[in-house]
Amino acid sequence: SYVLTQPPSVSVAPGKTARITCGGNNIGSKSVHWYQQKPGQAPVLVIYYDSDRPSGIPERFSGSNSGNTATLTISRVEAGDEADYYCQVWDSSSDPYVVFGGGTKLTVL
Amino acid sequence: QLQLQESGPGLVKPSETLSLTCTVSGGSISSSSYYWGWIRQPPGKGLEWIGSIYYSGSTYYNPSLKSRVTISVDTSKNQFSLKLSSVTAADTAVYYCARHVSDTAMVIHWFDPWGQGTLVTVSS
């Protein structure tokens, strides 16, 4: 089965840039999607197709994907960005299925 | 604006079957562009996809849960449902329903939007 690996936590000061990684075997060949989940709330899609933003998501959120690592970048971090972030791919194996990373807690210092 | 709402019992006994329904509003579940999915999240843990269904009844299931899961759709009510059999305490989680979006080649899939989630506790 395909495994996505995320760091458990990332900390960043307000106004700085946060980078959250998602590792997987040749993940660059897959399309990666990212979700933000604030405490007590449902996940919200913030990036799809590696780097596209849904309407309503600030331009501060961007994504990239190459080789064995996909990255969610949040520029000019705000206190309101503090949340858990999950990456997700589709594994097109003989028994295809959705895979989520373990999640990264972003703390704004 | 598309909205999804989960409903069902919040408490289920061990070995019984968990049953939830997701009601879709603001759009048709019979849209040819989308699947409809279930995802769960145990308390304090990460997300786990359970399975997804197309309006025609075609399904994808998580291989690790496949033997216990049945997802069905009722287009007349704009609803889809989840049944998870032989539950244990490990099935205690917040269960979310979501629109499952895919590309035409069916190799790229994501979820947007999500319902608010419903907590299901497995306990005697």
Side-chain angles (χ1 to χ4, degrees):
Chain A
S1 62
Y2 194 79
V3 176
L4 294 174
T5 301
Q6 298 183 237
S9 62
V10 168
S11 298
V12 63
K16 300 299 186 182
T17 297
R19 294 179 179 84
I20 299 172
T21 59
C22 177
N25 184 33
N26 197 26
I27 195 173
S29 67
K30 300 181 183 296
S31 189
V32 180
H33 320 292
W34 292 90
Y35 304 88
Q36 176 194 67
Q37 185 180 34
K38 296 182 179 179
Q41 298 184 19
V44 173
L45 180 73
V46 293
I47 292 289
Y48 65 105
Y49 272 129
D50 295 338
S51 59
D52 287 351
R53 278 177 291 102
S55 61
I57 300 302
E59 291 183 8
R60 301 184 297 104
F61 288 80
S62 62
S64 62
N65 184 19
S66 178
N68 292 319
T69 304
T71 303
L72 172 68
T73 301
I74 309 172
S75 304
R76 303 181 299 282
V77 167
E78 303 173 355
D81 297 331
E82 187 162 288
D84 293 326
Y85 291 85
Y86 295 89
C87 57
Q88 177 251 308
V89 300
W90 174 260
D91 182 27
S92 304
S93 62
S94 57
D95 206 354
Y97 69 109
V98 172
V99 184
F100 286 99
T104 298
K105 169 66 176 178
L106 176 67
T107 299
V108 181
L109 300 171
Chain B
Q1 179 184 355
L2 189 76
Q3 293 185 317
L4 298 93
Q5 177 69 57
E6 305 88 351
S7 59
L11 181 64
V12 180
K13 290 182 168 54
S15 80
E16 296 189 344
T17 296
L18 178 159
S19 296
L20 295 173
T21 295
C22 182
T23 301
V24 178
S25 59
S28 174
I29 203 169
S30 300
S31 170
S32 60
S33 303
Y34 308 113
Y35 273 67
W36 304 91
W38 289 98
I39 304 103
R40 69 180 183 178
Q41 184 174 36
K45 296 188 178 181
L47 301 169
E48 180 181 36
W49 173 69
I50 301 170
S52 299
I53 191 165
Y54 196 55
Y55 76 93
S56 64
S58 173
T59 53
Y60 287 110
Y61 293 136
N62 185 325
S64 68
L65 297 170
K66 196 172 187 176
S67 63
R68 298 194 293 131
V69 173
T70 301
I71 297 176
S72 59
V73 63
D74 186 336
T75 56
S76 67
K77 295 181 179 179
N78 230 32
Q79 295 176 334
F80 61 107
S81 298
L82 168 70
K83 291 188 184 300
L84 181 65
S85 64
S86 305
V87 297
T88 69
D91 295 309
T92 294
V94 174
Y95 285 75
Y96 296 99
C97 60
R99 184 175 63 179
H100 176 157
V101 187
S102 69
D103 65 328
T104 53
M106 295 295 293
V107 294
I108 300 174
H109 303 249
W110 69 91
F111 298 93
D112 179 55
W114 298 53
Q116 66 183 26
T118 187
L119 175 63
V120 178
T121 301
V122 178
S123 175
S124 55

